[in-house]
Amino acid sequence: MAANASGRNGWTMAQAARQYVEHIRSLRLREAAVAEELEAARSGAVRAQALSQSAGGGPEHGDDAVFSLVARTAELQAEWEADAVELASEAAEFRQCLAGVPDPSYRLALSMRANGRTWAEVAAQLHVSERAAYRVGEFAYVALWSVMPEQWRRLAFPDCRPEGVDWA
């Protein structure tokens, strides 16, 4: 049985769609944060290498500091690559869903939110007040409901899950 809008109110459908968009948003923001941390670790490794050449002692000097930063950089690189793969897969699915949303202002608002933009930035891009942007967002979430992945609709309406299927 598919999760559908029959007997559902718009607020609940919007909540389910919001969860989906915020999931994509969190993936993008996490990937960006790890990329930034990776860049900092890389530049820290260069500084540690320079410090290993200088006189002085302690854990922040010498080869141990370089090896520690190189190891951390490798961990961050692996984490970033895993995040990038997950984001690429989910972002492609999200773009496909957005293509099914008929109103261009709704598509823009959803896309901007998924890309980490604030509602103030969405409002500026739509040339409306922030309050109006929130309203556009609510309508956009309801419009997204019908085209978003089934598993996200089922999260909002657990009673729609087929027996024996666990989407969590």
Side-chain angles (χ1 to χ4, degrees), residues 31-49 51 65-66 68-77 80:
E31 188 267 343
V34 171
E36 193 170 310
E37 191 177 350
L38 177 61
E39 183 58 36
R42 285 180 177 151
S43 56
V46 170
R47 284 192 305 275
Q49 188 175 19
L51 287 175
V66 174
S68 174
L69 280 169
V70 167
R72 178 67 182 141
T73 302
E75 289 171 9
L76 287 170
Q77 180 71 34
W80 177 79

Side-chain angles (χ1 to χ4, degrees), residues 39-106:
E39 183 58 36
R42 285 180 177 151
S43 56
V46 170
R47 284 192 305 275
Q49 188 175 19
L51 287 175
S52 72
Q53 310 296 326
S54 65
E60 65 278 353
H61 294 298
D63 291 339
D64 287 345
V66 174
F67 293 135
S68 174
L69 280 169
V70 167
R72 178 67 182 141
T73 302
E75 289 171 9
L76 287 170
Q77 180 71 34
E79 185 178 342
W80 177 79
E81 288 171 2
D83 287 350
V85 166
E86 181 181 9
L87 175 59
S89 169
E90 300 243 4
E93 181 180 57
F94 182 71
R95 281 191 304 276
Q96 190 174 18
C97 291
L98 275 183
V101 174
D103 189 301
S105 62
Y106 294 175

Side-chain angles (χ1 to χ4, degrees), residues 9-158:
N9 66 36
W11 183 86
T12 309
M13 291 169 24
Q15 288 301 105
R18 181 180 289 110
Q19 288 175 359
Y20 178 50
V21 172
E22 291 302 315
H23 168 72
I24 301 297
R25 177 184 168 95
S26 70
L27 289 176
R28 288 188 193 283
L29 294 175
R30 176 175 163 67
E31 188 267 343
V34 171
E36 193 170 310
E37 191 177 350
L38 177 61
E39 183 58 36
R42 285 180 177 151
S43 56
V46 170
R47 284 192 305 275
Q49 188 175 19
L51 287 175
S52 72
Q53 310 296 326
S54 65
E60 65 278 353
H61 294 298
D63 291 339
D64 287 345
V66 174
F67 293 135
S68 174
L69 280 169
V70 167
R72 178 67 182 141
T73 302
E75 289 171 9
L76 287 170
Q77 180 71 34
E79 185 178 342
W80 177 79
E81 288 171 2
D83 287 350
V85 166
E86 181 181 9
L87 175 59
S89 169
E90 300 243 4
E93 181 180 57
F94 182 71
R95 281 191 304 276
Q96 190 174 18
C97 291
L98 275 183
V101 174
D103 189 301
S105 62
Y106 294 175
R107 286 193 305 269
L108 179 61
L110 293 169
S111 177
M112 289 182 72
R113 281 301 291 170
N115 284 313
R117 301 295 189 262
T118 65
W119 282 110
E121 292 170 317
V122 172
Q125 187 68 34
L126 292 174
H127 306 290
V128 298
S129 69
E130 194 168 337
R131 182 179 168 138
Y134 284 125
R135 281 194 307 272
V136 168
E138 287 303 308
F139 288 121
Y141 288 134
V142 172
L144 180 62
W145 162 266
S146 64
V147 294
M148 71 184 198
E150 181 76 14
Q151 73 185 63
W152 286 94
R153 287 183 281 179
R154 289 186 187 278
L155 286 174
F157 302 113

